[in-house]
Amino acid sequence: MAKITAPNEEFNCEIGGVQFEDGKAETDNQAVISYCRNAGYTVDGDTKAAAPEPESPDPRNLPEPEASTLRDAAVDPKPEDFLAPTNAGEANPHGPEVISPEIHASEGVRPVKGGDVHVENTNTQDAEEKAHAAQESFEADKPAGNASKEEWHAYATAQGKTEAELDGLGRDGIRELFN
């Protein structure tokens, strides 16, 4: 039986079926012992600090997959990528240096404004985003739910939907694209 002491001597809770009273418990449950040891509890008089948080692996340093049809723009950016993350291909894609501009371009129902993403000139990027955000709300022009197919079609094309995307859709199908 291992004797476990919690960092807080007023701890009166259960961990993995082991009840602590006044910060103390005894168990032979190896999972609880391991958890407590790694969480900074004292186990049989021995205190081990919690293990440091492991750093996310950088996928750029992993071997190439043998066959794949998918490509991650944060790992392997291409010039034609629409709203590819900033610092893509240069920093760890799972780290804080890689930022997705799509997050900043998504404002409610306002369509994303196509065009260049000015990573090298943040003043230009900020000005373009602010100008786009200052446009009147696109929601105000949204037709009523029972509006005609023609009204919904006109609204959809104004929001950037292509004829190919709208082909074969009725009023309700078009309306669902915006719900």
Side-chain angles (χ1 to χ4, degrees):
M1 276 288 188
K3 293 182 181 182
I4 305 172
T5 305
N8 178 355
E9 58 188 48
E10 296 176 14
F11 185 67
N12 293 309
C13 292
E14 185 178 298
I15 297 176
V18 176
Q19 181 63 46
F20 281 77
E21 290 187 27
D22 298 324
K24 298 185 185 322
E26 289 187 11
T27 185
D28 57 0
N29 182 326
Q30 289 302 312
V32 173
I33 293 168
S34 178
Y35 169 81
C36 290
R37 181 172 280 132
N38 288 327
Y41 291 61
T42 301
V43 178
D44 290 331
D46 183 32
T47 302
K48 175 185 167 192
E53 185 75 25
E55 191 172 316
S56 296
D58 189 337
R60 296 172 301 152
N61 299 330
L62 298 174
E64 286 291 321
E66 293 193 21
S68 176
T69 57
L70 298 176
R71 178 180 58 82
D72 186 345
V75 177
D76 183 23
K78 302 282 186 212
E80 64 271 11
D81 290 338
F82 179 69
L83 295 176
T86 59
N87 294 326
E90 298 171 17
N92 181 349
H94 302 292
E97 297 86 26
V98 177
I99 301 167
S100 175
E102 205 286 324
I103 292 170
H104 304 288
S106 298
E107 292 190 25
V109 297
R110 179 174 279 107
V112 174
K113 178 182 176 288
D116 294 332
V117 176
H118 302 280
V119 177
E120 70 289 341
N121 187 339
T122 56
N123 290 333
T124 300
Q125 184 65 32
D126 287 346
E128 288 187 9
E129 286 182 16
K130 285 176 183 167
H132 182 60
Q135 291 177 356
E136 288 186 29
S137 171
F138 290 89
E139 186 71 28
D141 299 333
K142 193 173 183 179
N146 62 352
S148 69
K149 176 185 175 184
E150 291 73 26
E151 288 179 78
W152 274 101
H153 188 276
Y155 175 75
T157 56
Q159 302 307 306
K161 298 293 182 189
T162 65
E163 291 296 330
E165 292 173 296
L166 301 174
D167 187 38
L169 293 178
R171 177 196 69 193
D172 293 341
I174 298 170
R175 188 178 66 204
E176 280 301 308
L177 294 174
F178 299 97
N179 289 338

